[in-house]
Amino acid sequence: MTQEPFITLAGVRKGYRTGSDAIPIFTALDLAIPRGDFVAIMGPSGSGKSTLLNMLAGIDVPDAGSLKVGNYRLDQMGETARSSWRAHNMGIVFQFYNLLPMLNAAENVELPLLLKPLSAGERRSRVAKVLDLVGLSGREKQYPSMMSGGQQQRVGIARAIVSDPKLLLCDEPTGDLDRKSADEVLEILALLNRTLEKTIVMVTHDPQAARSAKRTLHLDKGLFVEEKRAA
Amino acid sequence: MSTQIKQTLVMTRVNFSTLPRRVAISLSMVLSIALVVAVLAGFLAMANGFEKALSSAGSPLVAVVLGGGTNQETGSDIPADAIRSIQSLNGDIGVARDGSGNLLASRELVAPVEVVGTQGLSSATLAFRGMDVSGLAIRDGIKIAAGRLFAPGTREIVVGARLATDFPGFGIGDTVRLGTVDWKVVGHFAANGSAFESEIWGDVDAVRAAFNRQGQVQSLRLRLIEPSSIAVLRASLATVTPTPLVAVSEADLYAAQSGRTANLIRLFGWPLALLMAIGATAGALNTMMSSVSDRTIEIATVRALGFGRLSACLATWFEAVALAVAGAILGVIASWLIFNGWQASTVGANEASMGFRLSVDRDVMLTAGLLGLAIGVIGGALPAIAATRLPLMVALRARG
Ligand SMILES: Nc1ncnc2c1ncn2[C@@H]1O[C@H](COP(=O)(O)OP(=O)(O)OP(=O)(O)O)[C@@H](O)[C@H]1O
Ligand SMILES: [Mg+2]
């Protein structure tokens, strides 16, 4: 049975304008990611990895071409529609965690649930469940400033999966972590992919991080230049 | 609770908990709004106090008869034979009479006198009113607070309580030179803080003699039976004398005068306050723009998570309004502490100085406070919109 890919990019063009200069990043990018995949995207700085991830997250839009995630044509949706799509269909993990400093761990994780019609009790039990999943139960009341980078990133992952999206997008999730913390985070991501069947797209500079993924795509000068399958 | 409200609550919490990062600029917004509010409240309190002083001077039960084609005491002149004709009127002319059937009337004239103030520097023109002894009984709310009333035909005077405190040399027993002669102060009178408290009262004939205005009467004050009796009086006046005389209620007389001056104060105060408000609005805009850029990462992060634009917009706007409310409250409190009851003086009726107290009442506070609020509402609107336009890509780049 051939299944339609979960994510499909076809002929995507994207560039930025700075003043009068147009900087093209992608001219015709094609990509297909099946459901349940765990893809690492590598490439030199400025090759467009974050730009691609932003488009997959519905934060940015292609200038031309089609971008489909699940049943949604993100390239055809307006900002408000993409905003609500983000709330229900993907989780995002940032390099610098992006936790709100004034909220404690549980409150940070709860943020995406505020976008759903859930009772306070339901929200609390879901938050407890994902914090347990990332190994942080008991730290609900801690504020980001009292946590290590690795712990903060695990809170970030808990926040990304708390509303149970199919798609998880990570932009250099281990970029700011030491080896040990990075390995813990990667282990969690691999676990989420294996047991909860999350489709994960992870941008990384770290070859060791890429090894956690099922396959690695190399981006250079706006094109995927090689693909490596994990052994 | 709708998700929209929950989002806005979180964003509002972000706003207020990040406020310490913007203490200086937020404080400058609060203070500039407070200043605008206090300035406007000051002017309104002045107009308000002025109106109160004059409106409590006028009684609807006192008719003021004026002649010479004017409706103010200044410039009015009633011929002696007209006075005699009025006093000899029989029957009901709407005016109260004493036990022996005489009209309750007081012939009055006002002479401007120069008096040196407390500092020795500022001198003021005061109203020296000559009147019949009955002038006191005719008026409402006049009390001899100390001493006694002047005796008819003597160079004795009573002075308003406010005047006595504002100017030296008006203690009971003091002798004051007014016009060409010396006068003895025999009493102080209180008049509910009204404009009369800035006047000097003496015997009508003594005043006429001292200021070389023999035979002159500027106004005839009559005690009406009831406020509506003024119509009866007007009809009677038309029959007695060929001289055109007008009768106005004392309340209307002072209301007209207070209205003019109070409006003048407001006319000056409002544009000044509005001009300052424009400046403060620009300041508020600047403050809130920096608040938005200060919260860029937080806003972009939650927007990336799926939060809507409205929450960032409303929260920014709430912050602006909250700071404006703080400024308005501060301004109102400051204006109340500084201005309320503050003694001021101005040229009032009869081209003479008139003392009054600034009055910061509920209406003044409300009006000035609302202007302060408007500064936040307007100044915060554009930044609130700007908060919805932040590029979300910064969330992924920024070090939190
Ligand atoms: N908002 C923007 N405006 C203008 N140029 C941009 C913008 N965002 C990205 N770029 C440019 O687009 C190119 C690709 O940027 P992108 O962030 O996608 O690269 P990257 O592969 O993620 O790099 P890095 O490894 O350094 O994170 C870069 O040259 C960058 O300068
Ligand atoms: Mg990048």
Side-chain angles (χ1 to χ4, degrees):
Chain A
M1 189 182 82
T2 54
Q3 219 182 0
E4 199 183 329
F6 183 42
I7 297 171
T8 317
L9 275 79
V12 164
R13 181 160 62 78
K14 180 69 186 174
Y16 288 109
R17 302 195 68 85
T18 46
S20 54
D21 301 330
I23 307 163
I25 298 167
F26 305 119
T27 46
L29 189 70
D30 299 320
L31 175 66
I33 297 175
R35 208 171 281 278
D37 205 354
F38 185 175
V39 188
I41 294 176
M42 298 190 76
S45 187
S47 57
K49 304 182 297 294
S50 293
T51 304
L52 172 63
L53 206 77
N54 283 343
M55 290 193 291
L56 293 178
I59 287 171
D60 207 348
V61 280
D63 296 336
S66 76
L67 163 54
K68 194 172 177 202
V69 179
N71 296 320
Y72 296 90
R73 278 288 298 270
L74 290 181
D75 57 295
Q76 293 177 340
M77 286 158 60
E79 164 53 38
T80 310
R82 278 185 283 117
S83 181
S84 106
W85 175 84
R86 286 197 294 275
H88 299 101
N89 297 281
M90 69 98 195
I92 187 161
V93 178
F94 304 92
Q95 176 175 359
F96 301 112
Y97 334 126
N98 289 39
L99 303 180
L100 301 199
M102 67 289 298
L103 305 184
N104 65 30
E107 290 167 331
N108 265 290
V109 173
E110 191 190 17
L111 286 173
L113 295 182
L114 299 178
L115 304 169
K116 294 178 173 260
L118 296 172
S119 72
E122 286 172 302
R123 294 201 300 270
R124 209 174 312 118
S125 77
R126 285 223 206 174
V127 167
K129 209 174 101 194
V130 290
L131 276 176
D132 186 43
L133 198 68
V134 298
L136 286 178
S137 41
R139 294 192 184 270
E140 283 83 357
K141 293 280 184 292
Q142 279 194 8
Y143 284 84
S145 58
M146 306 185 308
M147 295 178 154
S148 71
Q151 289 169 334
Q152 289 188 59
Q153 192 58 300
R154 283 188 273 155
V155 173
I157 292 170
R159 181 177 64 184
I161 59 170
V162 73
S163 55
D164 201 21
K166 298 274 174 293
L167 176 62
L168 200 55
L169 301 170
C170 316
D171 195 354
E172 306 195 28
T174 60
D176 210 41
L177 300 179
D178 58 55
R179 189 70 262 159
K180 185 171 167 291
S181 304
D183 287 342
E184 284 167 7
V185 161
L186 291 167
E187 217 168 285
I188 292 169
L189 291 178
L191 182 84
L192 292 172
N193 175 248
R194 234 183 305 120
T195 62
L196 298 177
E197 287 160 1
K198 305 281 181 210
T199 306
I200 301 178
V201 180
M202 172 178 72
V203 167
T204 185
H205 275 122
D206 175 11
Q208 202 166 325
R211 278 196 279 279
S212 309
K214 286 181 178 163
R215 58 182 178 133
T216 303
L217 296 173
H218 282 266
L219 200 55
D220 198 9
K221 300 193 177 71
L223 290 170
F224 289 111
V225 290
E226 67 169 298
E227 174 171 344
K228 215 164 45 192
R229 288 255 155 210
Chain B
M1 205 170 14
S2 93
T3 70
Q4 200 56 256
I5 297 173
K6 282 184 277 192
Q7 291 175 49
T8 306
L9 283 180
V10 169
M11 288 312 280
T12 306
R13 188 164 161 198
V14 168
N15 275 65
F16 287 103
S17 57
T18 54
L19 216 48
R21 304 202 297 232
R22 310 183 288 276
V23 175
I25 196 160
S26 304
L27 212 61
S28 85
M29 173 171 161
V30 169
L31 290 179
S32 64
I33 289 175
L35 186 67
V36 173
V37 169
V39 165
L40 181 63
F43 276 104
L44 294 180
M46 195 184 288
N48 202 19
F50 183 82
E51 261 176 351
K52 279 187 179 166
L54 274 183
S55 65
S56 53
S59 160
L61 274 170
V62 176
V64 182
V65 177
L66 302 164
T70 175
N71 51 7
Q72 298 175 58
E73 286 187 84
T74 313
S76 164
D77 186 34
I78 309 177
D81 55 341
I83 302 269
R84 271 192 300 278
S85 316
I86 295 169
Q87 277 171 336
S88 62
L89 278 170
N90 292 316
D92 179 17
I93 63 163
V95 179
R97 292 175 187 274
D98 63 15
S100 35
N102 295 320
L103 294 174
L104 283 181
S106 166
R107 299 162 299 154
E108 304 191 353
L109 79 163
V110 173
V113 290
E114 201 73 16
V115 173
V116 178
T118 330
Q119 313 304 322
L121 300 167
S122 59
S123 74
T125 306
L126 297 177
F128 187 4
R129 183 180 294 272
M131 55 163 64
D132 287 314
V133 180
S134 56
L136 214 80
I138 285 174
R139 289 174 165 82
D140 283 322
I142 309 284
K143 271 197 298 288
I144 296 292
R148 57 172 176 83
L149 185 58
F150 59 84
T154 64
R155 286 181 187 161
E156 290 177 347
I157 54 174
V158 291
V159 299
R162 181 172 295 157
L163 190 153
T165 58
D166 288 355
F167 296 91
F170 284 98
I172 293 172
D174 289 351
T175 301
V176 197
R177 191 165 184 86
L178 300 171
T180 54
V181 296
D182 286 338
W183 302 81
K184 187 158 182 253
V185 181
V186 296
H188 291 164
F189 67 90
N192 292 329
S194 79
F196 288 134
E197 284 192 9
S198 298
E199 292 190 348
I200 304 166
W201 290 353
D203 176 74
V204 61
D205 292 314
V207 172
R208 292 202 282 207
F211 293 88
N212 200 21
R213 289 166 69 170
Q214 275 83 1
Q216 198 186 344
V217 173
Q218 280 181 325
S219 68
L220 184 68
R221 274 179 161 73
L222 299 162
R223 179 77 185 180
L224 293 170
I225 295 167
E226 53 183 43
S228 60
S229 307
I230 193 147
V232 183
L233 175 62
R234 281 187 186 128
S236 314
L237 285 179
T239 63
V240 290
T241 153
T243 327
L245 295 176
V246 292
V248 292
S249 90
E250 197 184 43
D252 291 346
L253 182 73
Y254 284 106
Q257 286 175 2
S258 71
R260 269 197 305 276
T261 306
N263 284 340
L264 207 69
I265 295 170
R266 293 194 182 100
L267 215 64
F268 184 71
W270 268 108
L272 185 75
L274 286 179
L275 213 65
M276 290 177 64
I278 291 171
T281 305
L285 194 111
N286 185 38
T287 299
M288 294 317 298
M289 279 299 187
S290 80
S291 160
V292 172
S293 75
D294 181 54
R295 288 176 293 120
T296 299
I297 294 169
E298 282 95 350
I299 293 173
T301 299
V302 296
R303 294 272 286 113
L305 298 181
F307 274 48
R309 284 177 158 157
L310 192 63
S311 58
C313 174
L314 286 179
T316 304
W317 204 53
F318 289 165
E319 181 185 336
V321 170
L323 291 176
V325 166
I329 290 174
L330 198 67
V332 162
I333 291 174
S335 70
W336 192 84
L337 289 177
I338 299 167
F339 297 127
N340 198 36
W342 192 11
Q343 183 72 44
S345 88
T346 183
V347 175
N350 303 308
E351 312 301 327
S353 166
M354 185 196 103
F356 63 94
R357 285 185 197 289
L358 271 64
S359 163
V360 181
D361 64 8
R362 209 194 53 201
D363 281 357
V364 169
M365 293 191 206
L366 209 65
T367 308
L370 281 177
L371 178 68
L373 188 65
I375 293 170
V377 168
I378 296 168
L382 215 60
I385 293 168
T388 68
R389 305 250 160 114
L390 284 180
L392 304 188
M393 286 78 87
V394 297
L396 287 100
R397 248 191 295 280
R399 183 176 270 278

